[in-house]
Amino acid sequence: MAVPRLEPELARQLFFEGAAVVVLGVPQGTEFGIDYSTWAVGPRFRGVKMIPPGVHFLHCSAGRAGGGRETGPRTGCFLSLQRREVRVLRWDAASETVREAAGQGEAFRENLQEMDRFLGPYPYESLKKWVSLTSFIGEAAMKKLQPESGWISAFSEVLPVVAGRHTRDRAEQRLPPVDAECRSYAEGMARLPRMEPKAGTEIRFTELPKQPYPDGATPAEITRHSMDLSYALEQVINHRYASQPLDLLAELQFAFICFLIGNVYDAFEHWKRLLNILCRSEDAIGKYRDLYVNLISVLYHQLNEIPADFFVDIVSQDNFLTSTLQVFFSCTCSGAVDETLRKKAEKFKAHLTKKFKWDFEAEPDDCAPVVVELPEGVQAD
């Protein structure tokens, strides 16, 4: 990949003022990247220099024996780097990823010029794109959302909720013996013990409401809250973002980056659910004007980065994105909405129609009769 040349004076300034990540012991053939760029590690690689201060996503995938392009699952972590900071990482063969070598940064800072020929320059040609995708993710949001372990894995480590080594363990979980005949795929899946992520490895996303209405709601209230998810959105905001609702967009961006670059499918599922709540909260649109004005900007940059090879197929399942945005535009493109928000929504709608050929004028699926299941014990009026 051709890298645009920086002016010598600018390159010198960036070298001394930018941050650096020194990475030691990474095997050749490992896929290593920062933010939006990825490289195959060669024999001279020792890290990345001239990194602009701020939040960045470091990621790697172990190479496989025999060479070739095949790599292992991707692991990564968000780092908040300060001006002139040097962070040192070392390859851990057991986990096939890098781990931080605490307390060594200052020593490497003093010898950074000697390390220069082993450090690759930060890819400034992709910086604008990275900043647009992480505009709300500051250090505080990063620390709040990142797993306690500090590392995000494409395939989370899971453990059985209850031990199942022995027959008596499986009997307690009402699971059939392992050697019992299995007649279908569904039956086979049902036999597997319940699993959960290993403590400290899960991304700390906000727990989204399991039901969109309050306990004790009447049938009429259940129907209303199931169609307009403003109550569910208020629950999310009050749980974690009451002092600054705009920080909810940091979580939306964090989930998107974890999926787009970290290859974490669960992060996509969270992004999808969170976006669904935001787009289907008609009453909240008037209350949280700034949140929705900025949501449009966030979505504009995210949808411009949909990779044609795999992400578009996932998004198009059940026509999720078009149907969700169709409801959103029906709420924001009306005369009752703040003029600034309405105009921005209309412009965004026109952009998506032109870029993806999505039809937002057809009758939304939400206009069809909605069957709402009532909680046990609640009688219809």
Side-chain angles (χ1 to χ4, degrees):
M1 179 181 67
V3 177
R5 288 184 60 84
L6 295 172
E7 293 295 329
E9 185 57 35
L10 176 59
R12 177 181 172 81
Q13 181 182 352
L14 291 172
F15 178 80
F16 286 106
E17 298 300 317
V21 174
V22 176
V23 188
L24 305 174
V26 180
Q28 290 188 52
T30 300
E31 186 180 87
F32 182 88
I34 184 170
D35 300 343
Y36 224 78
S37 298
T38 306
W39 310 273
V41 170
R44 293 164 56 87
F45 176 79
R46 298 293 185 278
V48 182
K49 61 185 177 180
M50 301 161 59
I51 305 172
V55 172
H56 298 278
F57 186 64
L58 204 72
H59 45 92
C60 59
S61 303
R64 287 298 177 234
R69 295 185 177 182
E70 185 178 353
T71 59
R74 179 168 290 184
T75 59
C77 70
F78 283 87
L79 299 175
S80 179
L81 299 173
Q82 308 300 316
R83 171 178 167 270
R84 303 192 68 194
E85 181 180 3
V86 175
R87 199 73 66 91
V88 182
L89 306 171
R90 291 184 182 275
W91 181 258
D92 179 63
S95 60
E96 293 191 328
T97 188
V98 290
R99 301 296 184 193
E100 188 159 1
Q104 299 186 22
E106 193 56 38
F108 277 91
R109 161 58 66 185
E110 295 175 359
N111 298 303
L112 199 58
Q113 284 184 290
E114 297 178 15
M115 292 281 296
D116 181 50
R117 65 185 184 275
F118 301 110
L119 302 175
Y122 180 87
Y124 273 79
E125 68 277 7
S126 63
L127 177 60
K128 184 177 180 180
K129 184 184 295 185
W130 173 252
V131 171
S132 70
L133 290 174
T134 58
S135 54
F136 286 92
I137 305 177
E139 183 174 2
M142 179 201 80
K143 290 181 176 179
K144 182 185 293 186
L145 294 164
Q146 187 143 273
E148 292 178 3
S149 67
W151 289 90
I152 295 167
S153 178
F155 294 100
S156 299
E157 186 176 352
V158 294
L159 298 172
V161 175
V162 181
R165 288 186 176 183
H166 306 289
T167 301
R168 65 175 180 273
D169 298 323
R170 296 184 62 83
E172 289 174 1
Q173 298 178 64
R174 298 182 179 179
L175 297 173
V178 292
D179 58 350
E181 183 181 355
C182 184
R183 290 167 298 205
S184 69
Y185 173 80
E187 183 180 339
M189 293 298 293
R191 291 185 183 186
L192 295 176
R194 288 194 303 116
M195 309 292 283
E196 63 181 13
K198 182 180 179 181
T201 64
E202 63 269 40
I203 302 172
R204 291 178 287 179
F205 289 132
T206 302
E207 184 175 350
L208 302 182
K210 292 181 172 60
Q211 64 182 35
Y213 48 83
D215 292 334
T218 66
E221 290 171 335
I222 291 173
T223 300
R224 176 165 59 85
H225 290 311
S226 297
M227 296 179 68
D228 180 346
L229 301 181
S230 296
Y231 172 80
L233 179 60
E234 289 285 2
Q235 296 299 106
V236 173
I237 291 175
N238 292 336
H239 177 68
R240 209 169 191 181
Y241 301 109
S243 61
Q244 182 51 271
L246 276 175
D247 288 346
L248 182 59
L249 298 180
E251 184 165 336
L252 193 70
Q253 289 183 327
F254 195 96
F256 188 82
I257 292 296
C258 286
F259 173 69
L260 183 70
I261 301 179
N263 299 339
V264 182
Y265 184 76
D266 285 347
F268 167 71
E269 287 296 319
H270 185 78
W271 177 83
K272 188 168 70 169
R273 292 182 61 208
L274 187 55
L275 182 61
N276 184 63
I277 291 175
L278 282 163
C279 288
R280 297 176 184 269
S281 297
E282 184 173 2
D283 287 349
I285 289 173
K287 181 178 179 179
Y288 298 105
R289 171 191 173 277
D290 289 347
L291 174 65
Y292 280 93
V293 167
N294 285 282
L295 171 63
I296 292 173
S297 297
V298 168
L299 287 176
Y300 172 83
H301 292 294
Q302 289 183 343
L303 299 189
N304 278 342
E305 299 308 317
I306 293 178
D309 56 349
F310 67 96
F311 193 55
V312 69
D313 293 332
I314 296 175
V315 168
S316 62
Q317 288 178 8
D318 302 322
N319 205 25
F320 158 74
L321 199 52
T322 51
S323 62
T324 300
L325 289 175
Q326 190 173 37
V327 174
F328 177 65
F329 290 135
S330 71
C331 298
T332 54
C333 295
S334 70
V337 175
D338 170 82
E339 183 179 6
T340 300
L341 175 57
R342 186 181 74 251
K343 287 183 176 180
K344 191 164 187 176
E346 289 173 346
K347 187 175 180 180
F348 183 44
K349 177 182 175 182
H351 165 75
L352 294 178
T353 301
K354 181 178 180 180
K355 182 178 177 68
F356 297 109
K357 304 298 186 291
W358 289 342
D359 180 13
F360 297 111
E361 301 304 326
E363 182 178 280
D365 293 339
D366 299 67
C367 292
V370 177
V371 177
V372 179
E373 292 187 7
L374 300 180
E376 187 176 347
V378 175
Q379 299 295 321
D381 292 337

